[in-house]
Amino acid sequence: MLKTTPFHGKHLAAGGRMVNFAGYDLPVMFRGIIPEHKKVRTAVGVFDVSHMGRIVVRGNGALNFINYLTTNDVSTLAVNQAQYSVMCYPHGGIVDDLVIYRLPDHYLLVVNGANNEKDTAWLRQHLSGDAQFENLTDQIAQLAVQGPKAEPTLQKICSTDLSTIGFYRAARTELAGVEMLVSRTGYTGEDGFELYFPAKYASTVWDAIFDAGREFEIEPIGLGARDTLRLEMKMALYGNDIDQTTNPIEAGLGWVVKLDKPGGFIGQDVLRRVHEEKPTRRLVCLEMLDNSIPRPRYSILSKDVEVGHVTSGTRSPSLDRGIALGYVRRDLAGTGTELEIDIRGRRAGARIVKPPFYKHGSRKQ
Amino acid sequence: MANIPGDLKYTKTHEWVRIDGDVVTTGITDFAQRELSDIVYVEINTVGRQVKRDEPMGTIEAVKAVADLYAPVSGEVIEANESLKDAPDLVNKDPYGAGWMAKLRLSNPDELKGLLDSTAYTELVRKSEHH
């Protein structure tokens, strides 16, 4: 039985093409992936991301508990600050990537929908000290409002001056008459916000946002454009670019691994060794030299030798070119390296480029 | 529900077929273009060649996935729709008209009997639609 989010009726009313994603019936597209993608790059779009897992952690030991489970240093967070991080297995593979919020009296972990149950079990298995956690996924709705016109849209219905919320910062405020958590975060490379509020207000908040954004021709955006937008920014997708068989260092997420943080963390020893010996492969950005389109699992070759594989691939709506993320042997992972990708039996040239693919995002950091 | 014109024939792999003497025009159905979503590239690499029924005769690239165009009947591929080079989204906008993909000269008219009519194809689509 497919689960539904609190916005399910809104998606059907907007003509969303529904698919099973992470066990939820969610829209893959409304008007079309490419127009939706361009809408977010140029104006503003709304994503229902209520399928993400939302876990609240409380108690005096909450900080130490989360810090032991995740690779980034949670102790550096100010109140109302968010942090991107990963959880690792002892062997260094990735349990999940997540966003951690430090809020005035608790922490909020936002995890991938498909990993929600697994992550909850992982937390339960490692729970120690004075910490308690509760999975509030079903009680809290989550929307992402993204694009250069996200702030002017939301400002119309929000009592707080949104310009005071910095990148990866959050505030508790009233929006559309509903008290909620608003953070300047997202998965698109554009400026934008994510909103967390009680699920029972889903319809009220949705309608208010669409009224406020009418002058910018605001639109609902499906999972298809969510994927192309994040891929243009080299944002990793769990299950494609990262999983239990990849470590954060080879995935280019070394910046969220704080090897020397006090108290240590699960996977620390292995990741330290990977860092010192350097990973055998790296996740790189590849741009096709012709009009072919790379897809996940296609082989990457150098001089007829397989040197890696594609993990994510599509035709970039912003660049009008095939783009891919893929792991390649470290000695071939330098920017500018020319490789070939096996496009269903035909070899096509590709070049490693510096991330991100799309360099004109409105995101402020 | 996808648009399934009554005057066309169909394949199990979601091609449509318009028969005009011994020339067969083909493309992908409204159901197939919806499933693929935004089509960004169509390549018919078999023009001038003989293809067998059910053989891949071209490639359809969408943002999310890639699919083959299969020959609905055996014959010589005599033409590809050149306008799809610059406007592949014609397939999304008008799959049975401006979004046609290729023309074949039929080599075995008996094969036409193996195609589905709109009623049978409607039934097939109904089974594949999970809503």
Side-chain angles (χ1 to χ4, degrees):
Chain A
M1 186 60 202
L2 275 187
K3 291 179 282 193
T4 55
T5 73
F7 305 99
H8 192 251
K10 298 291 181 190
H11 301 323
L12 297 181
R17 188 167 315 151
M18 309 302 283
V19 296
N20 173 359
F21 185 82
Y24 287 84
D25 196 39
L26 284 169
V28 65
M29 56 168 274
F30 295 89
R31 195 161 60 99
I33 295 172
I34 295 168
E36 289 167 31
H37 178 109
K38 291 184 172 169
K39 174 68 65 168
V40 174
R41 289 268 178 257
T42 56
V44 57
V46 180
F47 302 77
D48 173 10
V49 282
S50 304
H51 62 286
M52 305 286 284
R54 288 166 292 278
I55 302 165
V56 163
V57 186
R58 300 177 187 277
N60 291 330
L63 168 61
N64 288 342
F65 168 55
I66 301 167
N67 227 4
Y68 181 66
L69 280 170
T70 60
T71 62
N72 209 334
D73 190 351
V74 185
S75 72
T76 63
L77 285 176
V79 171
N80 289 329
Q81 188 175 9
Q83 178 182 75
Y84 178 69
S85 192
V86 298
M87 295 190 284
C88 284
Y89 293 101
H91 68 74
I94 300 173
V95 179
D96 202 0
D97 63 331
L98 72 163
V99 174
I100 299 162
Y101 290 83
R102 182 188 170 192
L103 300 170
D105 62 346
H106 65 273
Y107 289 87
L108 169 66
L109 313 183
V110 182
V111 303
N112 281 297
N115 293 336
N116 197 358
E117 278 177 40
K118 177 184 80 174
D119 293 352
T120 304
W122 186 250
L123 262 61
R124 190 174 304 118
Q125 190 184 329
H126 294 91
L127 193 61
S128 64
D130 174 20
Q132 309 86 44
F133 72 88
E134 195 180 358
N135 193 311
L136 295 178
T137 303
D138 294 341
Q139 288 91 308
I140 302 174
Q142 185 180 344
L143 288 178
V145 183
Q146 301 280 303
K149 298 297 183 194
E151 188 176 304
T153 295
L154 293 179
Q155 194 60 74
K156 291 184 191 175
I157 50 173
C158 184
S159 49
T160 300
D161 177 0
L162 291 171
S163 71
T164 61
I165 304 176
F167 182 64
Y168 261 67
R169 300 280 173 158
R172 263 211 101 69
T173 176
E174 203 172 87
L175 193 145
V178 175
E179 205 211 316
M180 63 173 72
L181 180 71
V182 176
S183 64
R184 196 182 287 269
T185 50
Y187 196 48
T188 61
E190 298 303 321
D191 189 26
F193 297 87
E194 289 183 288
L195 318 178
Y196 301 85
F197 51 93
K200 63 182 176 189
Y201 300 119
S203 188
T204 307
V205 174
W206 179 274
D207 291 344
I209 292 169
F210 278 84
D211 282 346
R214 187 163 299 144
E215 70 166 292
F216 308 117
E217 297 180 329
I218 196 166
E219 279 179 49
I221 312 293
L223 293 164
R226 182 169 163 84
D227 190 46
T228 53
L229 287 158
R230 69 93 196 165
L231 182 45
E232 285 185 350
M233 301 312 295
K234 202 203 178 189
M235 290 173 178
L237 174 63
Y238 195 94
N240 279 45
D241 314 302
I242 52 174
D243 60 24
Q244 68 281 0
T245 70
T246 67
N247 67 62
I249 294 172
E250 66 190 5
L253 299 175
W255 60 280
V256 305
V257 181
K258 301 295 191 277
L259 288 168
D260 299 319
K261 71 174 174 180
F265 59 90
I266 299 172
Q268 183 179 23
D269 296 347
V270 172
L271 294 180
R272 174 168 289 126
R273 201 165 64 239
V274 172
H275 172 75
E276 283 163 2
E277 295 172 2
K278 297 211 164 62
T280 56
R281 57 180 190 171
R282 286 196 189 279
L283 188 68
V284 297
C285 290
L286 290 152
E287 223 168 77
M288 301 310 296
L289 302 177
D290 65 6
N291 63 359
S292 57
I293 305 173
R295 306 284 179 187
R297 293 179 300 281
Y298 287 8
S299 287
I300 302 171
L301 305 111
S302 174
K303 301 188 179 74
D304 289 341
V305 179
E306 187 173 22
V307 295
H309 66 282
V310 172
T311 54
S312 289
T314 190
R315 184 181 174 86
S316 157
S318 304
L319 282 65
D320 259 343
R321 182 156 293 279
I323 60 171
L325 300 183
Y327 285 97
V328 302
R329 241 172 44 201
R330 189 181 76 236
D331 58 305
L332 295 165
T335 299
T337 306
E338 292 206 4
L339 299 165
E340 287 186 315
I341 297 182
D342 184 332
I343 308 270
R344 308 192 317 152
R346 192 176 60 80
R347 301 277 172 88
R351 185 184 296 119
I352 298 180
V353 297
K354 234 172 75 155
F357 293 104
Y358 179 75
K359 304 199 193 298
H360 313 290
S362 56
R363 189 170 77 184
K364 306 174 173 107
Q365 17 188 329
Chain B
M1 185 68 199
N3 172 24
I4 302 171
D7 60 338
L8 301 176
K9 298 285 189 212
Y10 299 90
T11 67
K12 289 194 178 75
T13 46
H14 305 285
E15 284 82 17
W16 58 264
V17 174
R18 185 175 283 120
I19 302 157
D20 184 11
D22 66 343
V23 174
V24 159
T25 305
T26 188
I28 62 167
T29 64
D30 186 40
F31 171 78
Q33 71 78 16
R34 281 198 212 196
E35 287 292 302
L36 280 169
S37 73
D38 307 50
I39 289 161
V40 292
Y41 180 57
V42 177
E43 184 184 44
I44 308 298
N45 56 357
T46 48
V47 176
R49 296 224 317 259
Q50 294 287 334
V51 291
K52 283 203 177 63
R53 182 174 62 181
D54 300 334
E55 255 185 16
M57 56 186 288
T59 304
I60 306 151
E61 294 267 15
V63 172
K64 285 219 69 83
V66 56
D68 288 312
L69 178 73
Y70 295 100
V73 290
S74 305
E76 183 194 350
V77 183
I78 54 175
E79 197 184 340
N81 183 353
E82 292 299 321
S83 58
L84 298 184
K85 278 199 168 56
D86 293 323
D89 58 335
L90 287 171
V91 179
N92 294 118
K93 288 178 181 149
D94 188 11
Y96 302 111
W100 68 274
M101 291 185 181
K103 292 184 180 175
L104 296 115
R105 192 174 307 284
L106 188 64
S107 61
N108 179 3
D110 275 355
E111 286 180 354
L112 294 173
K113 296 194 194 93
L115 296 168
L116 306 172
D117 63 15
S118 62
T119 311
Y121 181 66
T122 302
E123 195 49 39
L124 180 81
V125 165
R126 192 161 291 148
K127 281 188 186 134
S128 352
E129 279 184 335
H130 30 261
H131 295 286

